[in-house]
Each structure stands twice: as structure tokens, then as C-alpha cells.
Amino acid sequence: DGKDVLIGGIMEHIEQAGVHSGDSACALPTYSLSESIKDQMRDQVRQMALELGVVGLMNTQFAIQGDNIFILEVNPRASRTVPYVSKATGVPLAKVGARCMAGRSFAEQGVTEEVIPDYYSVKEAVFPFIKFQGVDPILGPEMKSTGEVMGFDKDFGMAFAKSQIGASNSLPTKGLAFISLKNSHKEEGVDLARQLLKLNFTLCGTGGTADFIIKHGMKCKKINKVSGGSPHIVDVLNSKKIALVINTGGGNSEQKLNDAMALRRATLVNKVPYCTNMSTAYVCLEGIKSLKTKKITVTSLQDI
């Protein structure tokens, strides 16, 4: 309001840095950041808002690497996440910000403290890829989503699962999971494979990933990449035999790029949930665990 700074909310993206903020799923409150990191972010935002002389809404994007905080951008304006944060916290931020711009302080408005809900609200982006033949549904720094939905629950995994239901991307609770990981993710992928087996999924993967999983004492059926010839992964997807795809592969060669695009397109056409990075895969597992162990409840925003 020109004198005091009110934090509207801290959201944590589920996709890693490099995916446009409008395309990333995100959670409020945060689900993995430490209190120390969040307090440092709050302090940095306060200092920037006062130094820049902002009156009204301001949104700030950070990247966190270990204990290091990097400021990506500071925008002295509203963002598309304002309605989401307002629904999640019950604070009409656009109205509060507009009143600040008209000269009313936070104290005069009776809004003086950051609201941190005791439940999770997960925003998920909705994409138009299915409407465009041949479009590659990969995410990056260019925004591609055309809408968004929100799921909320006391349990983070269930809130995420609800957001996927809202985005017409419901998570499976059983079936065949396909895993194809780049070399730098294979060690981490072993734990992912173990968790999927504990959740009663069966595993399949491309040659390198399958061999790595088998080497660690787990069963994993090998499936060809598209360039490896039929029957390949797209054939299996088209036969409706796969329930979940986790693929962090790709590559620089034209063949690898074509293989990856054909896989992504087939998951889209067959409406199979698809994870392109490890952080998303682990959150998907949280959602699946919640669906298997908890009952889905429905509550209106007005009631909370």
C-alpha cells in the first residue's frame, strides 16, 4: 500500500524451472520448501516492493537451487494467478490491490496478515493440443495453456489428483507404467520404479531404462522405441495397454526427437497421463497413493 507489504501467497511450481509459469501446475501452500527459504523470499519481496515504490499488486518469480534463491522477474502488476490465489485463500486480492491504488491502506481495509490455508490448492493448466493434429505437446518457456483448473484438499496428494481430474487427465490406480529416462535420471528412476511396484503397477520401458531397472532386481518388460520397429511403444499405447507414461528422454538427434514426439502425441491421443520430468512423476505418485488409500470428498469453495 506504499508503506506496508502484504504477501498474498507463496505458490510452488510442480514442474521444474524452464516450464512457463502459466503452464506449470503449482501448489498453495508450498509442499516442499523450507520455512527458512520462504521467510527469505518474503523478506526479499518486501525489500523490492518498497524500493520500487509499487502500490497495488506485484508478482515475483523465484528459482530455488538447494539453499540458493534466484530472482527471475518482478512484475509491478497483477498476474493470471491472482484469481487462483484469491480462491485458495479467500482474500479478494484484485479488490485489495485496487483499493491500495486508490489510496486505502491495508489497515483501513482490515487486511493485514498473509493467509496460509490449512488445506492445499493445486492449480493445473489445461492445454488445447488434442485439437491440433501433429502438434508436439511438450512444455517449455513459451506458454501454451488455454485454461486452468484447481483441486483442493487437506491432503496434498489428493489435491493434486483432483486437479488432474478437473483437467481431464485422471491418474490411474493400477495397470502398466511405461518408463523411459535420460541417463542422468536413471539412478533416481530406480526409486520411482520401486514405488510404482509397491502401488501394484507393472513396469515396461525402453531398452536402456528397462535394463537399468532389471539390474536392480525388478521386473520390467522391454518395449521398442518407434525407430526400433513394431511392436513399439506407440503400438502399445494405441492398443490401450498403458496406464501411465514417465518419459524424461529425448535427445539431439533427429531420430530421438521424432521418437519422443511420436510418444508424446500417442499419449495425448490415447488420454494417458504423461510426466516429462522427475518432480512431476513423484507428485503423480503422491496423487496415486492418495487415490488408493483415501476417499475422494467434495467441498464447495463457499463452504471453506
Side-chain angles (χ1 to χ4, degrees), residues 148-166:
E148 57 192 30
V149 296
M150 185 176 99
F152 58 93
D153 200 276
K154 293 273 186 181
D155 176 75
F156 171 66
M158 185 60 78
F160 178 77
K162 287 179 178 179
S163 76
Q164 300 310 297
I165 293 168

Side-chain angles (χ1 to χ4, degrees), residues 98-243:
R99 285 173 174 166
C100 287
M101 295 169 76
R104 292 185 63 186
S105 68
F106 292 129
E108 288 175 307
Q109 297 186 57
V111 184
T112 56
E113 293 184 1
E114 176 185 354
V115 174
I116 303 175
D118 61 356
Y119 53 87
Y120 291 96
S121 297
V122 176
K123 182 210 85 173
E124 181 57 279
V126 177
F127 299 93
F129 298 130
I130 194 67
K131 297 176 182 177
F132 302 101
Q133 289 188 2
V135 170
D136 188 353
I138 192 168
L139 302 182
E142 179 185 342
M143 183 175 163
K144 297 179 179 179
S145 61
T146 51
E148 57 192 30
V149 296
M150 185 176 99
F152 58 93
D153 200 276
K154 293 273 186 181
D155 176 75
F156 171 66
M158 185 60 78
F160 178 77
K162 287 179 178 179
S163 76
Q164 300 310 297
I165 293 168
S168 300
N169 191 42
S170 298
L171 296 173
T173 54
K174 61 181 179 180
L176 182 63
F178 173 81
I179 308 177
S180 180
L181 307 175
K182 60 174 69 172
N183 289 335
S184 59
H185 290 156
K186 283 189 170 68
E187 287 288 348
E188 203 177 348
V190 171
D191 176 56
L192 197 70
R194 286 200 182 100
Q195 288 195 46
L196 282 164
L197 288 171
K198 283 181 182 176
L199 291 168
N200 293 322
F201 282 82
T202 51
L203 305 179
C204 64
T206 47
T209 302
D211 284 340
F212 201 83
I213 291 170
I214 292 166
K215 190 175 81 172
H216 285 80
M218 291 171 278
K219 290 183 179 180
C220 185
K221 182 181 178 181
K222 292 185 188 180
I223 295 182
N224 286 339
K225 296 178 181 178
V226 174
S227 58
S230 290
H232 50 61
I233 179 55
V234 172
D235 294 329
V236 182
L237 279 163
N238 289 340
S239 66
K240 314 293 184 187
K241 292 179 180 176
I242 290 181

Side-chain angles (χ1 to χ4, degrees), residues 24-89:
S24 178
C26 64
L28 190 158
T30 63
Y31 65 96
S32 74
L33 295 179
S34 69
E35 288 304 317
S36 171
I37 288 286
K38 286 187 282 189
D39 284 342
Q40 290 179 64
M41 290 163 63
R42 290 181 178 105
D43 183 55
Q44 291 181 23
V45 164
R46 285 190 182 95
Q47 290 187 54
M48 289 186 290
L50 294 171
E51 185 66 28
L52 291 167
V54 174
V55 176
L57 285 159
M58 180 180 101
N59 81 81
T60 309
Q61 292 190 32
F62 296 94
I64 313 293
Q65 185 182 45
D67 291 327
N68 296 317
I69 301 173
F70 299 90
I71 298 165
L72 300 182
E73 60 181 49
V74 183
N75 299 312
R77 57 166 175 78
S79 69
R80 77 187 69 80
T81 46
V82 168
Y84 156 60
V85 179
S86 295
K87 289 182 176 75
T89 61

